[in-house]
């Protein structure tokens, strides 16, 4: 069985989950309590296939420290970036770091390409021929099979259409209650009620052939 190589753009995944939370949860301030369920998200990405390498990039954020620790303890290589950096945009540096890892793996495993599983919705740079989309195209041309997991409302339309024609697109919306949960509010700061994540339904997750 071919190995899965996971590239996780957490800034995009988390912030778009916050944006979606109030709409789907129907409760005030749900966006401030929603969190990503790491174990279920990783299972959804791998679908219990062997993992070759796994990377995650995002911003330094105290409320996400537990998530980063869980990633690292599970063998995911994590790289955090300072959201306050003035020299570059918040998204640019994590994206570039992940794209570099993708291209390095493309070279290192040139003779035995596997499955790219990209968790993002960011298709910035499509028109200019750069960004995640251009990296996916390069890997596809070298025999890598492509999967993209993204929130439907935030994924770049052109990139989604290309992925649907050349691989598998997985709307994270279909798994919202499995890959997110709500933390309990602090005493005196009640927001939305807490919610546990339900079991992830892997049988509903399409995989690339």
């Amino acid at each position: 069985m071919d190995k899965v190589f996971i590239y996780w753009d957490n800034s995009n995944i988390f912030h778009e989950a916050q944006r979606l939370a109030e709409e789907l949860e129907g409760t005030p301030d749900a966006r401030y309590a929603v969190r990503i369920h790491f174990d279920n998200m990783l299972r959804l990405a791998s679908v219990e296939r062997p993992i070759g390498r796994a990377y995650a990039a995002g911003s330094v954020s105290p409320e996400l420290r537990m998530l980063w620790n869980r990633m690292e303890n599970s063998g995911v290589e994590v790289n955090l970036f300072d959201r306050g950096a003035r020299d570059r945009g918040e998204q640019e540096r994590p994206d570039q770091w992940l794209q570099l890892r993708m291209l390095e793996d493309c070279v290192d495993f040139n003779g035995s390409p596997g499955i790219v599983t990209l968790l993002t919705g960011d298709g910035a740079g499509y028109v200019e021929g750069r960004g995640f989309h251009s990296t996916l195209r390069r890997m596809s041309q070298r025999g890598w099979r492509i999967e993209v997991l993204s929130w439907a409302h935030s994924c770049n339309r052109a990139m989604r259409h290309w992925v649907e024609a050349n691989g598998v697109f997985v709307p994270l919306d279909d798994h919202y209650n499995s890959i997110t949960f709500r933390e309990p509010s602090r005493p005196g700061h009640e927001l939305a009620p807490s919610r546990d994540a339900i079991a992830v339904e892997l049988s509903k997750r399409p995989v690339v052939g």
Side-chain angles (χ1 to χ4, degrees), residues 34-50:
V34 72
R35 297 289 182 268
I36 300 298
H37 192 287
F38 167 71
D39 294 331
N40 283 354
M41 183 70 88
L42 191 60
R43 289 192 67 210
L44 187 65
S46 68
V47 199
E48 299 182 342
R49 296 167 293 184

Side-chain angles (χ1 to χ4, degrees), residues 17-202:
Q18 288 184 305
R19 182 178 302 182
L20 197 61
E22 286 187 9
E23 176 185 339
L24 295 183
E25 305 270 4
T27 55
D29 299 322
R31 66 178 294 122
Y32 302 110
V34 72
R35 297 289 182 268
I36 300 298
H37 192 287
F38 167 71
D39 294 331
N40 283 354
M41 183 70 88
L42 191 60
R43 289 192 67 210
L44 187 65
S46 68
V47 199
E48 299 182 342
R49 296 167 293 184
I51 297 176
R53 292 178 179 173
Y55 308 91
S59 302
V60 178
S61 180
E63 65 268 22
L64 297 180
R65 186 64 257 177
M66 185 178 297
L67 169 65
W68 298 125
N69 291 341
R70 291 181 67 85
M71 285 186 178
E72 291 168 335
N73 292 337
S74 298
V76 178
E77 182 178 340
V78 171
N79 201 351
L80 302 180
F81 297 85
D82 185 358
R83 290 186 296 181
R86 297 180 179 179
D87 55 335
R88 297 182 182 178
E90 178 182 346
Q91 291 294 326
E92 186 176 356
R93 291 174 60 190
D95 289 1
Q96 290 180 349
W97 183 81
L98 283 172
Q99 289 164 40
L100 179 57
R101 301 287 83 74
M102 294 168 73
L103 293 172
E104 287 177 344
D105 288 343
C106 186
V107 172
D108 291 346
F109 296 90
N110 185 51
S112 55
I115 300 168
V116 176
T117 301
L118 175 64
L119 285 72
T120 190
D122 186 3
Y126 168 74
V127 176
E128 297 85 357
R130 58 180 177 82
F132 281 126
H133 189 194
S134 66
T135 304
L136 290 173
R137 290 176 64 92
R138 288 184 173 92
M139 297 182 79
S140 177
Q141 291 168 358
R142 288 160 178 78
W144 291 76
R145 287 174 287 162
I146 307 299
E147 297 179 346
V148 171
L149 283 65
S150 175
W151 302 110
H153 73 276
S154 68
C155 186
N156 177 275
R157 183 178 301 179
M159 186 170 76
R160 174 172 179 171
H161 288 169
W162 181 86
V163 172
E164 290 173 334
N166 295 275
V168 167
F169 179 81
V170 180
L172 293 176
D173 312 55
D174 295 346
H175 304 274
Y176 178 82
N177 289 322
S178 297
I179 58 177
T180 68
F181 65 97
R182 285 199 309 264
E183 286 189 333
S185 301
R186 293 179 298 162
H189 298 80
E190 284 72 20
L191 300 174
S194 62
R195 171 181 61 82
D196 293 331
I198 64 175
V200 62
E201 289 285 346
L202 296 181

